[in-house]
C-alpha cells in the first residue's frame, strides 16, 4: 500500500469536481448527493440518515480482522458498477484491528497490507476518467500498534489522490507538503462538490484551486479568492450561531472579525462586478479573507482553552480539606474517649443542610449561581463544625505537634512525591522513580529496625538512638532474616521492572516484549516454553496460597469457603490455563475445530469469573474458616468462663469473655493431643482461630486475583506471582516494626502504609500500564466476549477498568493485612510456659495471634479506621498534587499529554482504591461479626 502509513483505509469515489474556475459558485454545490457508505458501523451513530444506501458491519471487536473488510468487498464492486452513487465511502478496519491485536510487525499485518494493496489496484483499474479516488487515514500507529496520543507516528496520516484524468496541469512538487488536518475538511468538501461542514473553522487550501488551464494569472487568483470566500461565509455563519448560543467569545474581538468579514465580502462582490480591475483588487481581498479565517481560529481556540479558576481553587480546597480531615481523624482515632459516631456524623449533617440551602437559593433566586461552587462551599463549610468540636474535645488537650504525627522520612517521601507531579519529566519517568522510592523506603526500614534494636538481643536495648523511639516489644527477626527479606524485596522489585512499557516521550526506550500476548509470537517452540512458564506461575501461585492456608488456617475444615479453596481454585487454574492455550493458538486451529474453540473461548473465562464470584459469596456467607471439634464427657464442674459466669447480657460482656474462651479452647485442644494425659476432659477445640481474619482476606485476594489475571496477557501471570511474593515479604518485614501493645491501641506506622501505596503504583506499571489513553489494554473488553458486546457499553468499560486498575483494587482490599500480619507473626516465635515442679519438659504455649484483637474491641475498630484513613491520606496527597499540577500548569505545553491524563488516571484509581478499601475493611468486620456470633453460641451452649 504505497503511501499509506495508517491502519485504516477510507476510499472515497465521486464524479469529478467542477473546474477550479467554476467550483466557486453555489450552483455547483447542490444538496442531495447520493452518498453510499460501507464499513465501520460507528458512522451510523455519527451521521444517522445521511446515506442513501449503507452497509454497516460491527467494528468494536478488535480481534476480528476480516468481518468488516470482507463485508465491504462483497458490496464494493457491484455498487461501483451500478452507478447509483455520487460519493462512495468504504471504511476498512482490518489493518486497524491487526495493529491492535498483533502489532505492526506480525505476519498477519503483512497479509492485511497486501490485501489493501490489491484493493487499491483493482479500484484504480475500474476508475473512469471522471472519477477521483481519495485514500486517507484518520490516524497513525505507534510501534506497539496503538493510537490515541499526539506522537508523530500517531498523528501522521497520508492523503493520496488519484484520477485517471489530470486534475492540474503543473507537475507535483518534489517534496510532499505537510497539510494540517483541520485544513483538509473544507478542502475535501469543495473538491467533492459538497457543502463545507457547519462546525468547521479551518482554512481551505486555496492553492489547489489556483492551477487552471487558463494562461491569465488573474483567473487563478480569482479561483483562490472564490474558494476562500466560500470558506469564510461558512465560518461566519458558524460564528454567528455559536456566539448567540454560548456567549463566551470576546465581544470586542468578535465585532472586529465581523467587520473584517463584511469589508472583505464587500470587496469580493465589487471584484466580481469589475473584472477589469480584478488583478489589483485580489491583492487586497485574499489577505483579508485569510486574516478573518485565522483570526476566528485564534479567538475560538483561546476561548475553548479557558479555565474556571474559581472551580479549580474550590476543588483543590475540598481535596486539601479532605486530606487534612483524614490526617486529623487518623491521629485522634486511637485516643481514649474518642467518639466516632458523634463527631463523624457532624459533617454529614452540616453538608446535607448546606446542600438544602444551596438548592433553595438556586430555586428561589434568579441569580446565576454556579451549583458546583455552591456545593463545594457547603462541603468545605461542613468541615468547620467538625474541626471546632474536635479541637474543643481533644485538640486543646494535646500539643500542636501531635497534629503532624508523620515521621520525618515518610514526610520527606510524601513531599518528594507531591513535588514530582509538577514536573512532566518526573511524571513520564514515574515507572522508574517508584521502584527507586520503594527500594529506598525498604532499606530505610531495615536500617531503622537495626537502629532501634529490634534485630538485636533484648539485653542490648537500653537507650534510644538518633531520635528513634525505644522498642516496645521483643525482636521478631534476627539481622540475617531481616536482611534476607530486604534483599528478596529488592530482587522482586527488580524482576517486576523487566515488565515495563516505555512512554512515547522516550523514543530511545524499548518496551518489554513480554507484555504482548502469546498469540503475537511467531516461533512455536518459544511460544510453548512461555506457555509452560505462565502455567507454572499459576500453579506456583495456587500452591503458595494453599501452603499459607495450611500453615495459618486449616484446609481440613468442612466449611464451604475452605472446600472451595481445596477444589474450586484448582478448577479455576485449569480453566485459565485452557483459555490461554485456546487464545494463543486460535488462529492456528483446524477449520473443523474452530467452532469448538470459539465456544470454549466464551465459556472458560465466564466460568472462571463465575467460580470466583461463587467463592466470594461463600466467604461472605461463612467467613469463619476454622476447624471446630467437640467431645462429651466433660465434668460439669469445669466451666469455660472464669471468673465470668452466666450468659452474656451485653456486647461488653461478650467482648470480655471471648479471649478467655479462646485460651480455654487452646488448652483443651493441646490436652487432647497429649498422649500422656488421655484422662484430661475435652470440652471444645477450634484450630487456627488466631488467623481467622487474615485467612479470610487472603482467600478473598486470591479469588479476586484469578479473574483479574485472566484480563491481562498471559505472561503478566509472572507479575502477579511476583506481586503476591513481594507482598508477603513486605508484610513480614513490616511486621517487625509494628509493636503489639496489649492492652492498648494498635497502630500501623506510616512507613508501612506508604510502602503499601508505593507497591500498588509499582505494580500498575509492572503490569504494562501507563497513565495515558493509548496504553489502555482494550483487548480486556473481549475476554469472554470474542464477538463483542452489541450495544452495551458498561460491561466492556467494567472489564477494561478492572484490567487497568487491578493493582489498585488488590492492594486496597488487602490493606487490612498491614494491621493483622504482626499478630499473625506471633506464631513464628512461640513463648515458653513453665510447668509445675517435677515436670522437666517445657511446653510451648500457642500464641493468641489475632485473638488479641478481641481483648480490646474498641482499639480494634479504631485501628481499622486509622489504617483506612492513613491509606486514603497517602492516596489523597497524590491526587491533590495531580489536581494542582493540572491547574497551575494548565497553559503548559504538556498539559493535555501528561498532566491531564495523569490526573484522570489518578482520580479513577483513587475511586477504585476507596471502594476496594471499603470492601476489605467490610470483610474484616463481617468476619468479626461472625466470630462474635460463633462465640455467643458457644457461651450459651456451655451454660446449658
Amino acid at each position: 500500500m504505497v503511501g499509506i502509513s495508517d491502519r485504516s483505509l477510507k476510499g472515497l469515489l465521486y464524479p469529478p469536481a467542477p473546474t477550479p474556475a467554476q467550483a466557486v459558485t453555489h450552483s455547483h454545490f447542490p444538496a442531495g448527493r447520493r452518498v453510499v457508505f460501507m464499513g465501520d458501523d460507528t458512522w451510523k451513530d455519527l451521521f444517522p440518515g445521511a446515506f442513501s444506501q449503507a452497509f454497516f458491519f460491527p467494528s468494536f471487536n478488535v480481534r476480528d480482522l476480516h468481518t468488516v473488510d470482507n463485508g465491504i468487498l462483497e458490496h464494493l464492486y457491484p455498487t461501483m458498477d451500478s452507478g447509483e452513487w455520487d460519493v462512495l465511502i468504504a471504511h476498512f478496519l482490518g489493518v486497524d484491528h491487526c495493529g491492535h491485536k498483533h502489532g505492526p510487525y506480525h505476519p498477519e499485518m503483512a497479509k492485511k497490507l497486501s490485501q489493501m494493496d490489491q484493493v487499491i489496484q483493482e479500484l484504480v483499474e475500474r476508475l473512469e476518467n471522471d472519477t477521483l479516488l481519495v485514500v486517507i487515514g484518520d490516524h497513525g500507529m505507534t510501534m506497539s500498534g496503538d493510537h490515541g496520543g499526539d506522537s508523530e507516528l500517531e498523528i501522521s496520516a497520508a492523503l493520496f489522490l488519484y484520477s485517471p484524468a489530470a486534475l492540474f496541469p503543473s507537475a507535483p512538487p518534489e517534496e510532499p507538503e505537510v497539510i494540517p488536518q483541520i485544513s483538509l475538511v473544507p478542502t475535501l468538501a469543495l473538491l467533492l462538490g459538497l457543502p463545507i461542514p457547519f462546525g468547521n473553522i479551518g482554512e481551505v487550501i486555496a492553492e489547489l484551486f489556483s492551477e487552471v488551464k487558463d494562461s491569465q494569472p488573474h483567473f487563478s487568483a480569482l479561483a483562490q479568492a472564490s474558494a476562500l470566500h466560500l470558506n469564510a461565509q461558512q465560518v461566519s455563519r458558524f460564528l454567528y450561531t455559536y456566539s448567540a448560543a454560548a456567549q463566551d467569545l470576546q465581544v470586542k474581538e468578535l465585532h472586529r472579525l465581523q467587520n473584517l468579514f463584511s469589508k472583505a465580502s464587500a470587496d469580493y462582490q465589487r471584484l466580481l462586478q469589475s473584472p477589469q480591475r480584478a488583478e489589483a483588487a485580489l491583492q487586497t481581498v485574499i489577505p483579508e479573507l485569510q486574516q478573518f479565517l485565522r483570526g476566528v481560529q485564534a479567538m475560538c481556540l483561546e476561548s475553548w482553552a479557558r479555565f474556571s479558576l474559581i472551580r479549580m481553587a474550590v476543588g483543590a480546597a475540598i481535596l486539601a480539606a479532605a486530606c487534612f480531615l483524614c490526617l486529623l481523624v487518623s491521629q485522634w482515632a486511637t485516643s481514649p474517649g474518642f467518639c466516632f459516631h458523634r463527631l463523624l456524623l457532624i459533617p454529614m449533617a452540616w453538608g446535607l443542610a448546606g446542600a438544602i440551602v444551596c438548592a433553595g437559593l438556586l430555586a428561589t433566586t434568579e441569580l446565576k449561581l454556579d451549583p458546583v461552587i455552591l456545593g463545594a462551599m457547603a462541603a468545605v463549610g461542613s468541615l468547620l463544625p467538625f474541626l471546632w468540636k474536635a479541637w474543643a474535645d481533644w485538640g486543646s488537650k494535646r500539643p500542636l505537634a501531635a497534629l503532624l504525627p508523620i515521621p520525618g522520612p515518610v514526610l520527606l517521601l510524601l513531599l518528594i512525591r507531591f513535588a514530582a507531579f509538577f514536573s512532566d519529566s518526573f511524571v513520564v519517568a514515574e515507572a522508574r522513580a517508584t521502584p527507586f522510592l520503594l527500594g529506598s523506603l525498604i532499606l530505610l526500614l531495615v536500617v531503622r529496625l537495626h537502629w532501634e534494636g529490634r534485630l538485636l538481643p533484648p539485653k542490648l536495648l537500653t537507650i534510644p538512638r538518633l531520635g528513634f523511639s525505644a522498642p516496645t516489644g521483643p525482636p521478631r527477626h534476627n539481622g540475617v532474616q531481616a536482611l534476607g527479606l530486604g534483599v528478596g524485596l529488592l530482587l522482586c522489585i527488580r524482576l517486576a521492572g523487566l515488565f515495563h512499557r516505555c512512554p512515547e516521550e522516550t523514543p530511545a526506550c524499548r518496551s518489554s516484549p513480554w507484555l504482548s500476548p502469546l498469540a503475537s509470537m511467531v516461533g512455536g517452540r518459544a511460544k510453548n516454553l512461555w506457555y509452560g512458564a505462565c502455567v507454572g506461575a499459576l500453579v506456583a501461585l495456587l500452591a503458595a496460597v494453599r501452603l499459607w492456608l495450611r500453615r495459618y488456617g486449616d484446609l481440613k475444615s468442612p466449611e464451604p469457603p475452605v472446600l472451595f479453596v481445596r477444589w474450586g481454585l484448582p478448577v479455576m487454574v485449569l480453566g485459565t490455563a485452557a483459555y490461554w492455550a485456546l487464545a494463543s493458538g486460535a488462529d492456528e486451529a483446524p477449520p473443523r475445530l474452530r467452532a469448538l474453540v470459539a465456544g470454549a473461548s466464551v465459556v472458560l473465562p465466564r466460568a472462571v469469573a463465575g467460580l470466583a464470584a461463587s467463592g466470594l459469596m461463600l466467604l461472605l456467607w461463612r467467613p469463619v474458616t476454622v476447624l471446630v471439634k467437640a467431645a462429651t464427657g466433660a465434668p460439669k464442674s469445669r466451666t469455660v468462663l472464669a471468673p465470668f459466669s452466666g450468659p452474656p447480657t451485653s456486647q461488653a460482656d461478650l467482648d470480655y469473655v471471648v479471649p478467655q474462651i479462646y485460651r480455654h479452647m487452646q488448652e483443651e485442644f493441646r490436652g487432647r493431643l497429649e498422649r500422656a494425659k488421655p484422662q484430661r476432659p475435652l470440652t471444645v477445640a477450634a484450630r487456627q482461630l488466631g488467623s481467622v481474619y487474615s485467612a479470610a482476606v487472603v482467600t478473598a485476594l486470591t479469588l479476586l486475583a484469578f479473574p483479574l489475571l485472566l484480563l491481562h496477557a498471559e505472561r503478566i501471570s509472572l507479575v502477579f506471582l511476583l506481586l503476591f511474593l513481594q507482598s508477603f515479604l513486605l508484610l513480614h518485614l513490616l511486621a517487625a516494626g509494628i509493636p503489639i501493645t496489649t492492652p492498648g491501641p494498635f497502630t500501623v506506622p506510616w512507613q508501612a502504609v506508604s510502602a503499601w501505596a508505593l507497591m500498588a503504583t509499582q505494580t500498575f506499571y509492572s503490569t504494562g500500564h501507563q497513565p495515558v489513553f493509548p496504553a489502555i489494554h482494550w483487548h480486556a473488553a473481549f475476554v469472554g466476549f470474542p464477538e463483542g458486546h452489541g450495544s452495551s457499553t458498561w460491561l466492556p468499560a467494567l472489564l477494561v477498568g478492572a484490567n487497568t486498575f487491578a493493582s489498585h483494587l488488590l492492594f486496597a482490599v488487602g490493606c487490612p493485612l498491614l494491621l493483622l500480619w504482626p499478630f499473625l507473626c506471633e506464631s513464628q516465635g512461640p513463648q515458653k510456659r513453665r510447668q509445675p515442679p517435677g515436670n522437666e519438659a517445657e511446653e510451648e504455649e500457642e500464641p493468641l495471634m489475632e485473638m488479641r484483637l478481641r481483648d480490646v474491641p474498641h482499639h480494634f475498630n479504631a485501628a481499622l479506621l486509622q489504617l483506612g484513613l492513613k491509606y486514603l491520606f497517602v492516596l489523597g496527597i497524590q491526587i491533590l498534587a495531580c489536581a494542582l499540577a493540572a491547574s497551575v500548569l494548565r497553559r503548559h505545553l504538556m498539559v493535555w499529554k501528561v498532566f491531564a491524563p495523569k490526573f484522570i488516571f489518578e482520580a479513577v484509581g483513587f475511586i477504585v482504591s476507596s471502594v476496594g478499601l471499603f470492601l476489605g475493611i467490610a470483610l474484616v468486620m463481617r468476619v468479626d461479626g461472625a466470630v462474635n456470633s460463633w462465640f455467643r453460641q458457644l457461651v450459651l451452649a456451655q451454660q446449658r
Side-chain angles (χ1 to χ4, degrees):
M1 189 181 300
V2 179
I4 299 299
S5 63
D6 186 47
R7 305 190 309 280
S8 53
L9 175 68
K10 300 184 183 72
L12 294 87
L13 303 116
Y14 83 110
T19 62
Q22 296 174 335
V24 294
T25 61
H26 295 284
S27 59
H28 290 87
F29 296 90
R33 294 278 190 175
R34 295 172 299 174
V35 181
V36 178
F37 177 84
M38 52 188 67
D40 187 351
D41 60 354
T42 307
W43 290 62
K44 177 175 58 177
D45 299 325
L46 294 176
F47 308 102
F51 307 112
S52 59
Q53 190 177 11
F55 304 94
F56 298 111
F57 303 98
S59 61
F60 190 69
N61 188 356
V62 295
R63 297 190 174 187
D64 185 0
L65 309 183
H66 307 292
T67 298
V68 177
D69 293 359
N70 293 340
I72 292 175
L73 295 177
E74 181 182 354
H75 300 282
L76 178 59
Y77 303 119
T79 304
M80 286 184 62
D81 297 337
S82 67
E84 298 179 355
W85 53 273
D86 295 319
V87 178
L88 194 154
I89 305 173
H91 188 167
F92 290 86
L93 275 180
V95 186
D96 180 282
H97 287 181
C98 187
H100 285 295
K101 183 178 181 181
H102 298 295
Y105 303 111
H106 196 272
E108 287 294 327
M109 179 63 76
K111 295 179 182 178
K112 295 304 297 182
L113 292 176
S114 299
Q115 182 187 22
M116 293 299 101
D117 286 344
Q118 184 179 1
V119 169
I120 293 178
Q121 181 179 356
E122 294 183 8
L123 288 175
V124 169
E125 294 174 354
R126 289 172 177 264
L127 288 182
E128 300 179 359
N129 290 336
D130 61 348
T131 307
L132 174 68
L133 171 67
V134 181
V135 181
I136 183 174
D138 56 350
H139 52 72
M141 144 171 93
T142 63
M143 303 302 291
S144 61
D146 298 315
H147 63 87
D150 60 351
S151 65
E152 186 65 25
L153 291 176
E154 293 169 277
I155 64 175
S156 298
L159 170 64
F160 171 70
L161 304 178
Y162 176 79
S163 174
L167 291 177
F168 310 116
S170 60
E174 295 181 0
E175 295 293 335
E177 181 183 1
V178 178
I179 302 172
Q181 184 72 24
I182 195 172
S183 301
L184 292 180
V185 176
T187 304
L188 286 179
L190 294 182
L191 286 176
L192 292 172
L194 298 173
I196 300 176
F198 174 74
N200 167 75
I201 60 171
E203 179 184 345
V204 68
I205 307 173
E207 288 77 11
L208 293 179
F209 300 91
S210 63
E211 303 290 344
V212 295
K213 300 180 181 180
D214 202 310
S215 59
Q216 302 183 32
H218 71 272
F219 281 109
S220 174
L222 179 61
Q224 183 178 352
S226 301
L228 286 171
H229 187 258
L230 273 177
N231 189 188
Q233 282 183 319
Q234 171 268 322
V235 172
S236 178
R237 289 193 299 269
F238 167 77
L239 194 62
Y240 175 80
T241 305
Y242 180 82
S243 61
Q247 299 180 355
D248 60 349
L249 299 176
Q250 299 180 14
V251 178
K252 184 177 180 180
E253 181 67 13
L254 180 62
H255 288 324
R256 188 188 71 84
L257 291 174
Q258 289 174 343
N259 294 333
L260 180 61
F261 173 73
S262 300
K263 182 178 181 303
S265 181
D267 293 342
Y268 175 75
Q269 296 299 330
R270 287 194 298 269
L271 173 65
L272 294 181
Q273 296 174 3
S274 304
Q276 63 275 11
R277 295 182 298 176
E279 185 172 357
L282 284 172
Q283 302 302 322
T284 304
V285 173
I286 292 178
E288 288 177 345
L289 292 173
Q290 290 177 338
Q291 184 181 359
F292 168 75
L293 292 172
R294 294 167 188 175
V296 171
Q297 289 184 29
M299 181 183 64
C300 291
L301 292 178
E302 182 180 358
S303 175
W304 295 338
R306 189 179 301 170
F307 302 93
S308 176
L309 299 181
I310 297 179
R311 289 190 176 190
M312 289 182 179
V314 171
I318 292 178
L319 287 175
C323 293
F324 186 62
L325 180 64
C326 290
L327 180 63
L328 290 183
V329 178
S330 66
Q331 179 68 4
W332 298 341
T334 56
S335 301
F338 179 78
C339 182
F340 298 93
H341 307 287
R342 182 165 55 89
L343 286 180
L344 294 180
L345 286 177
I346 291 176
M348 296 180 60
W350 279 88
L352 181 60
I356 295 175
V357 172
C358 292
L361 290 175
L362 291 175
T364 59
T365 64
E366 297 181 356
L367 299 177
K368 294 183 178 179
L369 302 177
D370 192 336
V372 176
I373 297 178
L374 289 177
M377 292 175 61
V380 174
S382 66
L383 299 178
L384 299 180
F386 168 79
L387 296 176
W388 178 263
K389 183 64 176 177
W391 176 259
D393 290 351
W394 186 88
S396 59
K397 305 174 185 178
R398 298 292 188 273
L400 184 61
L403 297 179
L404 294 176
I406 306 177
V410 178
L411 183 60
L412 179 62
L413 173 66
L414 293 178
L415 290 177
I416 292 175
R417 289 277 292 168
F418 187 89
F421 289 114
F422 287 82
S423 170
D424 58 332
S425 301
F426 278 93
V427 173
V428 171
E430 188 181 17
R432 291 177 293 168
T434 301
F436 172 78
L437 293 176
L438 180 59
S440 302
L441 190 60
I442 291 170
L443 292 177
L444 179 64
L445 181 62
V446 175
V447 172
R448 172 179 171 270
L449 292 177
H450 172 75
W451 203 264
E452 287 186 350
R454 294 186 181 276
L455 305 181
L456 300 175
K459 62 182 181 180
L460 299 180
L461 307 181
T462 56
I463 57 174
R465 288 167 280 183
L466 287 184
F468 288 114
S469 59
T472 56
R476 302 183 191 171
H477 296 308
N478 56 42
V480 177
Q481 183 182 7
L483 185 61
L485 291 173
V487 172
L489 272 170
L490 296 178
L491 181 61
C492 288
I493 294 173
R494 188 68 175 175
L495 291 176
L498 298 177
F499 295 82
H500 68 281
R501 178 166 186 161
C502 297
E504 59 186 26
E505 293 81 6
T506 55
C509 177
R510 297 188 61 183
S511 299
S512 172
W514 302 342
L515 297 175
S516 58
L518 294 179
S520 62
M521 299 184 64
V522 179
R525 183 177 182 182
K527 181 187 293 187
N528 293 334
L529 290 176
W530 270 110
Y531 176 76
C534 296
V535 175
L538 285 180
V539 175
L541 180 59
L542 174 64
V545 173
R546 287 174 61 91
L547 287 175
W548 187 91
L549 290 175
R550 183 178 291 112
R551 170 66 178 85
Y552 293 101
D554 198 328
L555 288 179
K556 297 181 180 180
S557 173
E559 294 294 331
V562 178
L563 295 177
F564 187 88
V565 170
R566 291 168 56 187
W567 305 107
L569 285 182
V571 175
M572 294 172 64
V573 170
L574 290 176
T576 304
Y579 173 73
W580 284 349
L582 296 178
S584 61
D587 297 335
E588 304 171 2
R592 64 179 181 274
L593 297 179
R594 288 182 180 175
L596 179 61
V597 170
S601 299
V602 175
V603 173
L604 288 175
R606 298 184 183 183
V608 172
L611 285 174
S614 301
L616 290 173
M617 295 300 295
L618 289 175
L619 185 63
L620 292 176
W621 175 46
R622 301 291 294 272
V624 181
T625 57
V626 295
L627 178 62
V628 182
K629 292 184 178 181
T632 58
K636 292 185 178 180
S637 60
R638 185 178 181 85
T639 176
V640 174
L641 307 178
F644 186 85
S645 61
T649 58
S650 65
Q651 183 65 34
D653 295 339
L654 183 62
D655 294 335
Y656 174 72
V657 301
V658 162
Q660 298 184 40
I661 297 174
Y662 180 62
R663 291 186 180 92
H664 181 74
M665 287 191 299
Q666 286 179 318
E667 295 176 0
E668 295 294 344
F669 186 75
R670 185 168 50 252
R672 180 178 179 272
L673 297 179
E674 291 178 355
R675 300 298 183 183
K677 301 178 181 179
Q679 72 280 4
R680 188 173 184 178
L682 175 65
T683 320
V684 64
R687 295 187 57 188
Q688 303 298 348
L689 192 61
S691 60
V692 62
Y693 298 104
S694 55
V697 176
V698 171
T699 303
L701 287 175
T702 307
L703 294 176
L704 281 175
F706 277 98
L708 294 176
L709 176 60
L710 204 61
L711 296 176
H712 290 76
E714 296 88 347
R715 287 178 279 194
I716 302 296
S717 58
L718 300 174
V719 180
F720 273 75
L721 179 61
L722 286 173
L723 183 153
F724 273 81
L725 177 60
Q726 186 175 337
S727 303
F728 172 80
L729 295 175
L730 181 63
L731 287 171
H732 265 66
L733 184 61
L734 293 174
I738 302 179
I740 297 179
T741 55
T742 305
F746 315 119
T747 301
V748 179
W750 285 97
Q751 293 90 335
V753 179
S754 301
W756 198 253
L758 278 177
M759 198 158 64
T761 304
Q762 176 232 348
T763 307
F764 171 79
Y765 288 104
S766 299
T767 49
H769 296 98
Q770 286 283 337
V772 290
F773 296 106
I776 294 178
H777 298 175
W778 300 109
H779 64 83
F782 305 98
V783 176
F785 302 88
E787 301 300 327
H789 301 267
S791 59
S792 175
T793 56
W794 67 268
L795 184 56
L798 180 63
L799 295 176
V800 173
N803 170 279
T804 305
F805 301 101
S807 62
H808 297 74
L809 180 63
L810 289 176
F811 279 93
V813 173
C815 191
L817 291 176
L818 293 173
L819 174 65
L820 303 173
W821 210 269
F823 298 91
L824 200 67
C825 290
E826 277 191 301
S827 61
Q828 295 178 353
Q831 301 174 355
K832 302 294 183 179
R833 182 170 59 89
R834 292 185 178 182
Q835 299 298 320
N839 190 355
E840 298 178 356
E842 288 187 351
E843 185 181 1
E844 292 185 351
E845 180 181 353
E846 185 177 353
L848 295 178
M849 296 164 62
E850 293 175 358
M851 282 297 105
R852 288 184 181 271
L853 297 169
R854 299 302 316 155
D855 283 335
V856 276
H858 174 78
H859 291 315
F860 181 27
N861 297 332
L864 279 176
L865 175 63
Q866 184 188 55
L867 174 61
L869 292 176
K870 284 183 176 181
Y871 194 69
L872 289 179
F873 173 78
V874 174
L875 298 181
I877 286 295
Q878 297 179 181
I879 189 176
L880 175 61
C882 291
L884 290 176
S887 301
V888 174
L889 304 174
R890 60 189 179 278
R891 300 293 182 183
H892 195 278
L893 181 64
M894 291 293 196
V895 63
W896 302 116
K897 186 177 182 64
V898 175
F899 298 110
K902 176 61 177 175
F903 169 67
I904 294 174
F905 274 80
E906 200 70 36
V908 178
F910 179 81
I911 295 174
V912 173
S913 299
S914 301
V915 174
L917 182 64
F918 172 78
L919 295 177
I921 295 179
L923 176 62
V924 174
M925 299 306 295
R926 172 71 181 97
V927 176
D928 188 64
V931 170
N932 275 342
S933 177
W934 188 77
F935 273 113
R936 184 180 293 107
Q937 296 176 5
L938 181 61
V939 170
L940 295 177
Q942 288 292 326
Q943 291 299 315
R944 290 194 298 266

